[in-house]
Amino acid sequence: METAKALMTPVNVQEEVVHPPGVNNAAGNAPGLFTQIIWIGSMVTGVVLLLASQKAVAAGSRRWTVSALQAIAGLAIVGIASCFTIWMASSWYGMELANAGETWLFLWLAGSAFFLLQSSLLNWIGFRAIPLLVLLMFFSVPLLNMAPEFLSQTTRDWIYSWTPLRFAAGGLREVMYFGGLDAAHSNALILWVVAGGFLVLLLSSGFKANRATDAAPTSVTGDTIK
């Protein structure tokens, strides 16, 4: 009898969960959910601050100053929103977090990179950037919780390889389940580069607008003299 059992099951399979996601973590999909929430929240923040900056410029404020204040206010709002999201997930929904502080810091970094990217596009091309941002989210979200090996080569090369949502979700997964901020070093570095690059673009949009604004009164004055 024992010989028959050994022939029927020659290999003894034993499962062991090495990095359990914890209670109420959406079966390990919480990083993807956090990424979606902070992307949408950052985009709403960017649109509201763009409208406020346009009113400030119309009232006579300097565009470069407005762009700088837009960046500062946006980063502060994203930090508060990230903190509230982590607190809400933990307190309201009972999500178990190994290190809520480190999760908040990385979510703030991801949200800052998202906000600066979105606001740069909004400042340079206006509200026409919104459909592009929505499409980027639409095509990126289904990939956040999938292993790259399950994706087609085209999807991996043209979307997964560069979408910023992937680095945010991957970094959050490392922070929440694989050892904290130390494990998320590579994804954090990429998000820092994204944030720094688009911060420069956001601030430079104020200089571009200033040149356009300064040119208009000169032309009007010249026509008046003529």
Side-chain angles (χ1 to χ4, degrees), residues 15-110:
E15 294 184 4
E16 180 181 357
V17 179
V18 180
H19 298 282
V23 179
N24 294 328
N25 271 247
N29 295 324
L33 297 176
F34 281 149
T35 300
Q36 296 175 50
I37 292 171
I38 202 65
W39 175 270
I40 296 173
S42 300
M43 185 162 57
V44 172
T45 302
V47 170
V48 172
L49 290 178
L50 176 65
L51 294 173
S53 66
Q54 289 176 342
K55 290 184 179 180
V57 170
S61 300
R62 299 187 54 163
R63 289 183 181 270
W64 187 89
T65 304
V66 171
S67 296
L69 292 176
Q70 182 183 356
I72 295 172
L75 296 177
I77 293 172
V78 169
I80 295 171
S82 302
C83 182
F84 178 76
T85 300
I86 297 298
W87 174 81
M88 181 179 64
S90 178
S91 300
W92 293 7
Y93 299 104
M95 181 180 293
E96 183 180 354
L97 297 170
N99 194 319
E102 291 187 356
T103 305
W104 165 60
L105 287 175
F106 192 91
L107 189 62
W108 188 2
L109 172 61

Side-chain angles (χ1 to χ4, degrees), residues 48-187:
V48 172
L49 290 178
L50 176 65
L51 294 173
S53 66
Q54 289 176 342
K55 290 184 179 180
V57 170
S61 300
R62 299 187 54 163
R63 289 183 181 270
W64 187 89
T65 304
V66 171
S67 296
L69 292 176
Q70 182 183 356
I72 295 172
L75 296 177
I77 293 172
V78 169
I80 295 171
S82 302
C83 182
F84 178 76
T85 300
I86 297 298
W87 174 81
M88 181 179 64
S90 178
S91 300
W92 293 7
Y93 299 104
M95 181 180 293
E96 183 180 354
L97 297 170
N99 194 319
E102 291 187 356
T103 305
W104 165 60
L105 287 175
F106 192 91
L107 189 62
W108 188 2
L109 172 61
S112 299
F114 291 166
F115 167 77
L116 293 170
L117 183 157
Q118 295 161 349
S119 294
S120 297
L121 293 178
L122 288 169
N123 277 26
W124 280 94
I125 65 178
F127 290 103
R128 290 173 295 179
I130 294 179
L132 298 176
L133 299 173
V134 172
L135 285 175
L136 177 58
M137 183 185 71
F138 178 79
F139 285 107
S140 299
V141 165
L143 311 179
L144 298 182
N145 295 315
M146 294 183 64
E149 292 78 11
F150 293 161
L151 303 175
S152 65
Q153 191 65 38
T154 302
T155 303
R156 290 169 63 180
D157 293 342
W158 291 91
I159 301 177
Y160 184 81
S161 62
W162 61 268
T163 177
L165 285 85
R166 164 237 173 157
F167 299 107
L172 282 171
R173 189 174 296 109
E174 291 165 343
V175 171
M176 295 173 67
Y177 307 138
F178 294 98
L181 289 175
D182 292 337
H185 175 75
S186 59
N187 285 312

